[in-house]
Amino acid sequence: MFIWLASYPKSGNTLVRSMLSAYFFSKDGNYNFQLIKNIKQFPHGGLFLKMGIDINNHNEAVKNYIKVQESFNKKNSTQFLKTHSFLFNLNKNFPFTNFDNTLGVIYVVRDPRNIVTSFSKFRSLTVEQTADFMISGTGDGLVWTNNWSVNYHSWKLFKEYKRYLLVKYEDLITKPDKTFLNILEFIHKLNKTNFELDKKKFENVIKTTSFENMQNLEKEKGFSESWVDEKTGKKIPFFYLGPKNNWKKNLDVKVVKKLEKAFKKEMEELGYL
């Protein structure tokens, strides 16, 4: 069964995946980039191509989301899946996922005023273009992110079934110990298993998944999920500013007002306003 690690892009999903992969897929909790490969991304073109599904036909791809999930769902064990998609159900005939495949969701959210600068750097777009993208709700190839607010609200469906955990990026940075412990407890609760913390492993996870360590790892080893700048042909650093990304210093007031107007309700709900 799948536990989704869902989020809007550049919200801290990679940090959560790194922490989980270090804890569950290593012997000592020390993180390296190879470990994150244990947590697949969905949708991913390769999964569809293996089944002969045309990924250039978006309607055909969406129709087969459940079929593809069923093809690699290990019913008797827990698998983590990353996604930036919103939880959609087109015409009630082609849902993103279902309860036959899904155990629950960990949704990672971040202040959109800090997302916009990070996302613009990652996609080689202006901050203004990125803000418009976040508000418009357009898709991106196989992945249908929708806009920031719809993405956030859509995954709350699992809340009424007590299969939902909201994680704020800001908490991952300021209180990683407490936040990661909550994540582990939630996972064991979903699995209905007794939780016994491996303290040494836990400590190593916290230490080796710090932003500074991840940034250094990328400089030394490179990171496969970073994008290439189409203009320069050079890789764009995936771990760019992290905790130093402060919208109060980096963001034009016009963009701030635009995002706050578009997402006022959600930002108040989350304590960002």
Side-chain angles (χ1 to χ4, degrees), residues 229-247:
D229 189 319
E230 294 180 357
K231 296 177 183 177
T232 65
K234 296 181 179 179
K235 277 207 167 188
I236 303 167
F238 188 93
F239 301 98
Y240 177 43
L241 290 174
K244 296 179 182 178
N245 189 356
N246 186 340
W247 64 268

Side-chain angles (χ1 to χ4, degrees), residues 4 60 69 87 89 97 121 130 145 152 175 205 227 256:
W4 294 95
E60 192 64 24
Q69 288 173 33
L87 186 63
N89 192 335
T97 189
K121 176 73 174 179
T130 306
T145 58
Y152 162 62
K175 42 186 177 183
V205 169
W227 285 39
V256 171

Side-chain angles (χ1 to χ4, degrees), residues 91-137:
N91 301 320
K92 296 185 179 180
N93 292 320
F94 308 118
F96 177 82
T97 189
N98 59 21
F99 286 117
D100 289 333
N101 289 289
T102 295
L103 192 58
V105 60
I106 297 167
Y107 190 86
V108 191
V109 70
R110 185 184 189 183
D111 189 327
R113 294 168 297 189
N114 281 329
I115 289 176
V116 70
T117 46
S118 182
F119 201 19
S120 66
K121 176 73 174 179
F122 182 65
R123 297 300 303 273
S124 299
L125 299 172
T126 67
V127 171
E128 291 77 11
Q129 287 173 325
T130 306
D132 290 338
F133 180 87
M134 290 173 64
I135 293 167
S136 68

Side-chain angles (χ1 to χ4, degrees), residues 18 41 79 82 107 110 153 178 186 241:
S18 299
Q41 177 175 321
Q79 298 164 266
K82 167 207 170 177
Y107 190 86
R110 185 184 189 183
H153 284 300
K178 182 179 179 181
F186 173 72
L241 290 174

Side-chain angles (χ1 to χ4, degrees), residues 8 110-120 126-136 147-149 247 250-268 272-273:
Y8 195 82
R110 185 184 189 183
D111 189 327
R113 294 168 297 189
N114 281 329
I115 289 176
V116 70
T117 46
S118 182
F119 201 19
S120 66
T126 67
V127 171
E128 291 77 11
Q129 287 173 325
T130 306
D132 290 338
F133 180 87
M134 290 173 64
I135 293 167
S136 68
N147 67 35
W148 180 83
S149 63
W247 64 268
N250 302 326
L251 207 55
D252 186 274
V253 66
K254 291 181 180 179
V255 177
V256 171
K257 289 181 177 179
K258 179 184 285 190
L259 291 171
E260 290 178 348
K261 181 180 178 181
F263 305 134
K264 183 175 185 293
K265 178 183 176 183
E266 292 77 21
M267 291 178 72
E268 287 179 341
Y272 294 139
L273 283 179

Side-chain angles (χ1 to χ4, degrees), residues 54-115:
D54 182 5
I55 60 174
N56 294 313
N57 185 331
H58 293 165
N59 288 331
E60 192 64 24
V62 168
K63 288 179 183 179
N64 286 282
Y65 270 26
I66 298 297
K67 185 178 179 181
V68 173
Q69 288 173 33
E70 289 174 343
S71 72
F72 67 98
N73 182 3
K74 298 174 183 177
K75 296 286 186 179
N76 297 321
S77 64
T78 301
Q79 298 164 266
F80 299 110
L81 273 185
K82 167 207 170 177
T83 192
H84 289 316
S85 175
F86 78 108
L87 186 63
F88 60 79
N89 192 335
L90 300 179
N91 301 320
K92 296 185 179 180
N93 292 320
F94 308 118
F96 177 82
T97 189
N98 59 21
F99 286 117
D100 289 333
N101 289 289
T102 295
L103 192 58
V105 60
I106 297 167
Y107 190 86
V108 191
V109 70
R110 185 184 189 183
D111 189 327
R113 294 168 297 189
N114 281 329
I115 289 176

